[in-house]
Amino acid sequence: MTPLHIRGLAAGYGGRPVLQGLSAGPLAEGAVTALLGPNGSGKSTLLKTLAGLNPVMRGELLLDGEDLAQATPSRRAERAMYMPQALPKGVHMTVFESVLVAARSGRHGAAGHDLMRDAMAVIADLGIAALASRYLDELSGGQKQLASLAQALVRRPRLLLLDEPLSALDLNYQFHVMDVLRRQTRQHRLITLVVLHDLNIALRHTDHALMLHGGAIEAEGLPAEVVTPATLRRVYRVQARVERCPQGQAQVHVDGLAGA
């Protein structure tokens, strides 16, 4: 059975399509897929459509053989968890309480002591145990982002959708979060899609990549197969090299803007 397959997807806003006949997959369980592409290419629209926040104009979103486009909102919420770019304003609740509430809402029937243990384990794994008793409305932007990610991970959804989860984080936490995300995705057999603008993070920390351009898939495959001088020129309009560092890791070096 195909974990996630997108077929002929058209979706957008106010009747105006942003995604036009987009097809991708299969996207495997236990793998982190990077969504890449310039601003306005359809990355956030794709995540919101998978989460049920945008209507499907046509096409199929097959998750384990079930078409999410035909699923009820409650069924979609059971299967997919979406973390937006703009986080909601913090309510007066501690980090631990918020993560525990998320665990209860996403894992019906689990024992209370198991949920409390898992909530604290995710908080500790993300390196924010010191924030557990702090209130959300007291936190910095980066701290709120980490708390929100903890809420998403503790639910263990089948489909985890993260829209720029690193945008407010410093360099240390960017690497730490991607390590945690990849480990949790493998451990719990999640299907994770994450919007990233840092191509080097995508090359280093993800298993699969989709590069969008103009509402369609420009390239799909292993990150090092997707992020190439040719795709960077076509999609980002830059002259760039992708070279291996002494440790063997692929890295992007931008030399300038591409000509017409």
Side-chain angles (χ1 to χ4, degrees):
M1 185 179 293
T2 298
L4 178 63
H5 208 145
I6 303 166
R7 294 178 178 168
L9 176 64
Y13 308 93
R16 180 182 64 84
V18 174
L19 306 176
Q20 305 185 52
L22 184 149
S23 295
L27 305 183
E29 66 177 16
V32 177
T33 294
L35 292 184
L36 309 174
N39 295 334
S41 59
K43 304 182 297 297
S44 295
T45 301
L46 175 56
L47 288 194
K48 290 177 182 178
T49 304
L50 286 166
L53 302 177
N54 282 344
V56 173
M57 296 176 180
R58 65 177 182 275
E60 296 178 317
L61 304 173
L62 299 176
L63 179 61
D64 300 325
E66 176 184 6
D67 189 358
L68 292 178
Q70 305 300 321
T72 64
S74 60
R75 176 60 174 166
R76 188 85 68 98
E78 287 178 7
R79 310 223 65 200
M81 175 67 199
Y82 170 68
M83 177 180 161
Q85 286 181 38
L87 301 177
K89 293 186 177 181
V91 297
H92 196 63
M93 180 183 292
T94 67
V95 170
F96 176 75
E97 289 168 343
S98 72
V99 177
L100 183 58
V101 167
R104 287 172 174 160
S105 67
R107 294 163 57 189
H108 302 292
H113 61 85
D114 289 337
L115 295 178
M116 293 180 69
R117 179 200 63 210
D118 292 345
M120 201 62 229
V122 169
I123 289 170
D125 205 13
L126 286 170
I128 56 172
L131 301 178
S133 60
R134 294 272 304 278
Y135 286 95
L136 293 172
D137 52 9
E138 299 174 345
L139 303 181
S140 70
Q143 291 170 333
K144 288 177 182 177
Q145 200 161 37
L146 291 166
S148 182
L149 183 57
Q151 295 165 26
L153 286 171
V154 80
R155 291 184 58 172
R156 297 181 189 170
R158 181 64 171 147
L159 182 58
L160 180 60
L161 308 166
L162 305 175
D163 199 348
E164 297 189 47
L166 309 181
S167 61
L169 302 182
D170 63 34
L171 186 60
N172 180 289
Y173 265 113
Q174 288 178 18
F175 274 66
H176 180 69
V177 162
M178 290 306 298
D179 283 341
V180 171
L181 182 61
R182 203 171 191 183
R183 182 169 8 98
Q184 293 259 346
T185 295
R186 289 174 175 171
Q187 180 181 351
H188 301 297
R189 310 303 300 167
L190 311 181
I191 302 167
T192 298
L193 281 75
V194 53
V195 173
L196 295 171
H197 280 293
D198 190 321
L199 300 177
N200 288 322
I201 285 181
L203 285 166
R204 185 182 186 95
H205 291 283
T206 65
D207 307 294
H208 191 75
L210 303 177
M211 185 175 286
L212 279 66
H213 188 212
I217 299 294
E218 178 73 23
E220 177 179 5
L222 295 173
E225 297 172 347
V226 169
V227 180
T228 67
T231 59
L232 294 176
R233 181 181 177 86
R234 288 196 305 270
V235 173
Y236 290 92
R237 306 304 301 162
V238 295
Q239 289 284 77
R241 294 165 286 123
V242 182
E243 299 178 346
R244 298 280 175 178
C245 73
Q247 287 74 36
Q249 177 64 48
Q251 295 180 331
V252 174
H253 302 273
V254 177
D255 297 316
L257 299 178

